[in-house]
Amino acid sequence: MKDKKLVIHAKHRGYDGFFKINLIEFQHSLYQGGLSPKITRELFGRGQAVVVLLYDLAAQQIVLVEQCRAGALQHALDANDPNQAWLIEPVAGMIDDGETPLETCQRETREEAGIEVSQFEYINQFYPSPGGSDEILHLYAAEIDSSRIGQWSGLAEEVEDIRLVKIPFDQAKQQLLNGEYHVASTLIALQWLFFQKLQAS
């Protein structure tokens, strides 16, 4: 398909809370020619966020955060295993209005890891669930001194209860290969670290 076409006929807000639900009606080009019929979709307006993988080359370890996540609650209850609601992932957070991705990286590493970081390496950006959400994640990494990292963090006013997890490179890589991580950003960040960053150095 040489010249793709996209026509948006209508878009309006169906729900306007902490997150947004947009109703959108559109058409798009078909591979065999012409336009699709009008398609109506509910689109979860998640916005944009940053993800920051913290790693310590000298100590050969990564730093991840563990916290209870609303998206995993029902799965944990269905499995009769509350532990499954606590997920391990990189530092992450929504980009506030008027904030750049790098400013968000600095704010989130301060809030979630308790350290000040000024240098971030951009990795990529990706859609975690484009079938029903407009969310874009901007993935970064930062080399840190993990000895400065405490055990707990999080903002009380945001009801954050975070455990900071230091994992040796060898263990984290084996856990990655064993399929022990269940958050997409964790998988992508660790794949970059072990199969791009460290192999290139």
Side-chain angles (χ1 to χ4, degrees):
M1 195 187 306
K2 187 175 181 181
D3 295 312
K4 295 184 176 72
K5 294 180 181 178
L6 184 65
V7 180
I8 297 178
H9 294 281
K11 180 179 178 182
H12 68 273
R13 184 66 46 82
Y15 175 78
D16 194 358
F18 181 74
F19 296 121
K20 321 295 179 187
I21 300 292
N22 295 311
L23 303 178
I24 186 168
E25 185 179 80
F26 66 100
Q27 291 177 280
H28 63 76
S29 300
L30 297 172
Y31 290 113
Q32 298 182 60
L35 286 175
S36 68
K38 288 184 179 180
I39 301 169
T40 301
R41 291 287 185 269
E42 295 174 347
L43 187 64
F44 181 34
R46 185 72 168 82
Q48 300 190 41
V50 301
V51 175
V52 183
L53 177 64
L54 302 176
Y55 67 95
D56 185 338
L57 280 179
Q60 291 284 287
Q61 60 185 10
I62 60 171
V63 177
L64 299 174
V65 301
E66 182 183 46
Q67 56 188 319
C68 184
R69 302 300 256 165
L73 292 179
Q74 191 60 55
H75 297 285
L77 293 173
D78 291 345
N80 197 29
D81 182 7
N83 291 319
Q84 291 187 23
W86 275 259
L87 300 177
I88 294 178
E89 55 198 310
V91 165
M94 302 297 297
I95 300 174
D96 289 340
D97 289 341
E99 203 174 39
T100 68
L102 284 175
E103 288 170 340
T104 308
C105 289
Q106 291 176 320
R107 174 173 56 79
E108 290 296 337
T109 52
R110 184 186 315 116
E111 292 176 1
E112 293 195 353
I115 59 170
E116 295 289 340
V117 179
S118 59
Q119 297 295 319
F120 298 90
E121 180 176 357
Y122 175 75
I123 301 172
N124 61 14
Q125 67 181 47
F126 58 93
Y127 292 95
S129 185
S133 174
D134 65 2
E135 181 180 26
I136 294 176
L137 296 183
H138 301 261
L139 180 58
Y140 291 83
E143 184 177 354
I144 63 165
D145 176 1
S146 59
S147 67
R148 298 165 49 209
I149 298 289
Q151 189 175 5
W152 319 105
S153 67
L155 295 180
E157 59 266 31
E158 295 185 9
V159 200
E160 290 181 330
D161 181 49
I162 294 173
R163 181 173 75 97
L164 292 153
V165 184
K166 301 177 185 179
I167 307 174
F169 281 175
D170 289 346
Q171 179 184 339
K173 185 175 182 180
Q174 192 57 56
Q175 290 173 331
L176 173 67
L177 295 174
N178 290 346
E180 296 180 35
Y181 295 108
H182 306 295
V183 179
S185 59
T186 310
L187 297 171
I188 295 169
L190 293 183
Q191 287 171 351
W192 169 83
L193 179 67
F194 295 129
F195 305 119
Q196 290 180 247
K197 178 68 174 181
L198 297 181
Q199 286 192 353
S201 60

